[in-house]
Amino acid sequence: MSDHVRWEELAAGHALDALEPEEDAEFTAHLAGCARCAEVLADHAFVAAQLGQLVDPLDVSAPSWASIREGVVPTPAPVTSLEQVRARRRSPRLLSAAAAALLVAGAGAVWVASSSREQQQSPQQATLAACAASPGCHVVNLQGKASLVVSNGSVRLLSSSLPVPAAGKVYALWQLPRGGRMLLVGSLRATAAGTVGESHALVLPYEETTAFGLSLEPSTVVPTAPSEVVALGSA
Amino acid sequence: MNPHALEDAALLARVAEGDESAVEALYARYGGPCYGLARRILDDAQLAEDVVQQVFLALWQGSGYDPSRGAVSTWLLSVTHHKAVDAVRRESNRRKRLAGEQVLLETATSGPGPDDEAWAALRAERTREGLRGLPAEQREVLLLAYYGGYTQREIAEMTGLPLGTVKSRTLAAMRKLREVLGTDVGENEGQQS
């Protein structure tokens, strides 16, 4: 069997959410550098979506918006102005006020970037999209400056527009547990191309993480707390 | 062209601005099919509702939708499927929901689709036609994966087939379905060019 057929098989399994975690991670990593697989995956994903459309109408109807709404839109009153909307979106429930302000600004930037991007996906975009749609794989947007891919107990900074740090400085990646202080995951190298980093093992399971953060730290010291946070993203 | 594509794009823009009525409108349009799919996979009303809530929370938070990957409905169903499969795999009693291959086949090959729009009806009919036209052994592995939420390795164990055979049959089934669906009902209806 040729390599390409094998990748096509994995693409089909990925679109059906039918791969084992290790296979899925392998395919997702391969996808980052394979435009052909991105095209194949798009076809398979389309077929999978059509299967989803075939489900019979149920004898019970879908929940009303009122019952769904509480878990979707955390604010109780209807929206009346853009300013109110923006104010509300600065209050996610799980984060401190300061962290929330940073995170919400980032989420907006990511959405705008997503809405206006070129239709031709880059390998990085394909990887992010594939991860976002994969069981057990999580994309964490760091305020539009970088994206983390978290799966199988490890985290990788896939792409970044972060500047190369000044001499003597490195980026450090942090995990913020629920109700705890920031925990150091590892340091990340930045290049002139703006792409950073290798995989690091998570300190805590993803499910116990509230947010991830990037900070700038002196390269000669192992920090115990972030000294200069440059980006945050909610888990 | 999906007649809803432009409306969906406008609604998404409003969602990005934090307009709750826009996400409510998208829920009115696609909540039913998403819930139906989640319910089919999970066989549990509360879990299905939780999944749908997560899907629309993701939409509200602006995470993940990429116009280049197709229509909003395609994305929502895809995310619903992923989250439902995630949920079903967390359930310790998942084997209880196996209703049997025949039920899965009947689910997928009979009955109307959830949307009576012409384009959806056309695609649904072609998908059913494609499923009916698949060799039984290919249809079996495909439907166990999609509606059963099983991994290919689990399907191999259940059916006694070599894993490689499960994979090759799945790929063959997906290719044939894509061919049957054709290009006129292709995945580009959600793109905004």
Side-chain angles (χ1 to χ4, degrees):
Chain A
M1 179 172 63
S2 73
D3 271 357
H4 182 68
V5 170
R6 178 171 178 272
W7 290 123
E8 277 208 51
E9 287 181 349
L10 289 174
H14 178 85
L16 295 167
D17 298 319
L19 298 180
E20 298 296 329
E22 62 273 16
E23 288 178 314
D24 208 60
E26 181 188 8
F27 176 72
T28 302
H30 170 76
L31 189 63
C34 183
R36 183 174 178 181
C37 280
E39 288 179 16
V40 169
L41 178 60
D43 267 353
H44 290 325
F46 173 67
V47 172
Q50 304 323 302
L51 294 173
Q53 300 266 15
L54 291 187
V55 173
D56 290 343
L58 297 162
D59 54 2
V60 290
S61 56
S64 68
W65 169 247
S67 66
I68 291 287
R69 180 187 178 282
E70 186 179 355
V72 176
V73 187
T75 51
V79 170
T80 56
S81 76
L82 187 56
E83 282 307 308
Q84 285 174 303
V85 167
R86 286 172 178 154
R88 279 180 197 165
R89 288 198 135 186
R90 293 188 193 108
S91 58
R93 290 168 290 179
L94 298 178
L95 299 171
S96 70
L102 284 169
L103 291 177
V104 172
V110 168
W111 178 266
V112 170
S114 172
S115 300
S116 62
R117 74 181 56 163
E118 295 293 325
Q119 291 190 1
Q120 184 66 42
Q121 280 187 304
S122 69
Q124 286 81 6
Q125 287 172 320
T127 299
L128 290 172
C131 175
S134 299
C137 189
H138 309 275
V139 173
V140 178
N141 289 309
L142 298 178
Q143 299 180 253
K145 298 175 182 174
S147 296
L148 299 174
V149 173
V150 186
S151 66
N152 296 321
S154 67
V155 56
R156 186 160 60 106
L157 193 63
L158 186 65
S159 61
S160 168
S161 59
L162 294 165
V164 177
K169 295 271 193 175
V170 295
Y171 287 111
L173 178 64
W174 302 83
Q175 261 185 288
L176 177 62
R178 302 185 192 285
R181 63 179 178 80
M182 285 277 211
L183 301 172
L184 181 65
V185 176
S187 62
L188 302 162
R189 287 177 291 104
T191 70
T195 302
V196 192
E198 57 272 47
S199 290
H200 289 273
L202 293 174
V203 180
L204 291 170
Y206 179 83
E207 290 70 22
E208 297 175 22
T209 306
T210 296
F212 289 86
L214 275 180
S215 70
L216 270 174
E217 307 293 342
S219 60
T220 55
V221 179
V222 177
T224 56
S227 53
E228 183 187 347
V229 175
V230 295
L232 285 172
S234 59
Chain B
M1 177 80 182
N2 173 1
H4 284 156
L6 293 178
E7 291 175 32
D8 289 347
L11 288 170
L12 283 173
R14 286 166 51 197
V15 170
E17 290 294 329
D19 184 344
E20 181 187 328
S21 67
V23 73
E24 183 177 357
L26 286 166
Y27 181 77
R29 185 169 291 171
Y30 301 120
C34 289
Y35 180 73
L37 177 58
R39 182 80 185 267
R40 171 62 60 193
I41 292 169
L42 290 159
D43 195 26
D44 182 299
Q46 186 57 53
L47 286 175
E49 183 170 335
D50 290 347
V51 162
V52 172
Q53 207 165 46
Q54 291 170 32
V55 171
F56 282 84
L57 175 62
L59 184 69
W60 174 248
Q61 292 179 331
S63 56
Y65 175 64
D66 178 355
S68 72
R69 291 178 65 83
V72 174
S73 58
T74 299
W75 179 76
L76 286 170
L77 284 166
S78 174
V79 175
T80 300
H81 187 260
H82 295 308
K83 291 186 181 297
V85 167
D86 247 354
V88 82
R89 288 175 186 166
R90 286 196 299 267
E91 291 297 299
S92 59
N93 63 345
R94 56 166 300 189
R95 296 299 174 194
K96 293 179 183 173
R97 40 179 196 84
L98 179 59
E101 178 204 346
Q102 192 56 41
V103 173
L104 295 175
L105 300 186
E106 288 170 359
T107 293
T109 56
S110 63
D115 190 338
D116 60 359
E117 296 283 351
W119 68 274
L122 173 63
R123 290 201 300 202
E125 186 47 43
R126 285 194 187 174
T127 307
R128 287 192 194 91
E129 176 190 327
L131 282 170
R132 283 192 290 264
L134 289 177
E137 62 271 19
Q138 291 180 11
R139 191 167 56 226
E140 176 189 28
V141 296
L142 179 66
L143 298 183
L144 282 172
Y146 190 79
Y147 294 111
Y150 294 97
T151 67
Q152 291 177 325
R153 188 172 297 166
E154 289 172 327
I155 293 169
E157 290 168 0
M158 291 163 58
T159 59
L161 293 168
L163 178 58
T165 302
V166 172
K167 289 178 180 294
S168 61
R169 286 181 180 178
T170 302
L171 176 59
M174 294 289 275
R175 282 174 168 169
K176 285 177 184 170
L177 281 182
R178 187 67 189 89
E179 190 177 328
V180 169
L181 282 163
T183 55
D184 56 331
V185 294
E187 71 273 27
N188 297 324
E189 78 277 0
Q191 297 183 5
Q192 298 154 37
S193 59

